Amino acid sequence: MRVLECTLAIGDLDAFVARIGEIGDRHETTIQAFDARYVADRTHLERSVELADRAIARGENVARDRAVEILLYAAGRRQIDRALEMGVSEGESEAVVLVTDVSTGNEGVRDDAETATLEELAELDAVVATGPTLERRNEATLCAFFEITDAEREATDASLAALVHERVALLNVEK
């Protein structure tokens, strides 16, 4: 799995999604773009990919599309329309674009495909800048999106990222 941390300026969301889909198909990779405000850290995305792949392998997936299944896990939600809030939208925003090989269980086998995909994504007109976006977390936004209360945070010494990871993992329990 690789990520492109960037600022996107999207004029037409449908055209952007179609374009990254074409790039993914060409390189045999799965691409999912996230609004960086809702991503706790890289582990958040790694775990979402692992759990989505496991659900697909077991035939327990909700979405037909692997990228959407990854989004469901990352958002900690079973409803696609609610999970889409975590995706990118029209306008300018900081983003994290995840790229992963489509062949599950073969991590590291097709690093060249992931690299080629990232290079092509970075050249898209919608990418206005590349640079760190995961480092600038807004705790209030993460807490609100993942419904993490002050009481929950006070009851544990776990980090906010760990609490988000827990939400991702709990999605399996809620099915």
Side-chain angles (χ1 to χ4, degrees), residues 26 30 35 89 121 147-148 165 167:
R26 184 170 32 264
T30 298
D35 183 324
S89 56
L121 286 170
E147 299 174 354
I148 298 169
H165 302 164
R167 295 298 198 274

Side-chain angles (χ1 to χ4, degrees), residues 31-152:
I31 303 170
Q32 183 56 267
F34 299 92
D35 183 324
R37 294 176 301 167
Y38 303 113
V39 179
D41 57 13
R42 183 179 174 87
T43 303
H44 176 187
L45 298 178
E46 289 170 346
R47 189 68 178 139
S48 299
V49 170
E50 290 169 13
L51 292 169
D53 286 345
R54 185 172 73 180
I56 292 167
R58 293 178 176 177
E60 298 172 352
N61 49 305
V62 171
R64 284 175 262 145
D65 182 83
R66 181 174 180 238
V68 175
E69 190 72 13
I70 292 168
L71 177 65
L72 289 170
Y73 274 93
R77 291 168 167 78
R78 284 284 101 200
Q79 300 83 17
I80 293 172
D81 60 332
R82 290 191 61 215
L84 286 173
E85 296 172 36
M86 189 176 185
V88 294
S89 56
E90 291 181 355
E92 188 169 312
S93 62
E94 291 188 340
V96 180
V97 184
L98 172 129
V99 175
T100 183
D101 185 358
V102 295
S103 57
T104 61
N106 292 321
E107 291 78 11
V109 173
R110 299 206 4 129
D111 285 344
D112 57 329
E114 292 175 359
T115 301
T117 303
L118 275 182
E119 289 171 356
E120 194 168 342
L121 286 170
E123 294 175 7
L124 287 176
D125 290 341
V127 177
V128 295
T130 58
T133 57
L134 288 175
E135 296 172 0
R136 294 186 288 271
R137 272 192 303 214
N138 181 312
E139 292 191 4
T141 300
L142 280 172
C143 287
F145 185 79
F146 289 99
E147 299 174 354
I148 298 169
T149 65
D150 289 340
E152 182 178 359

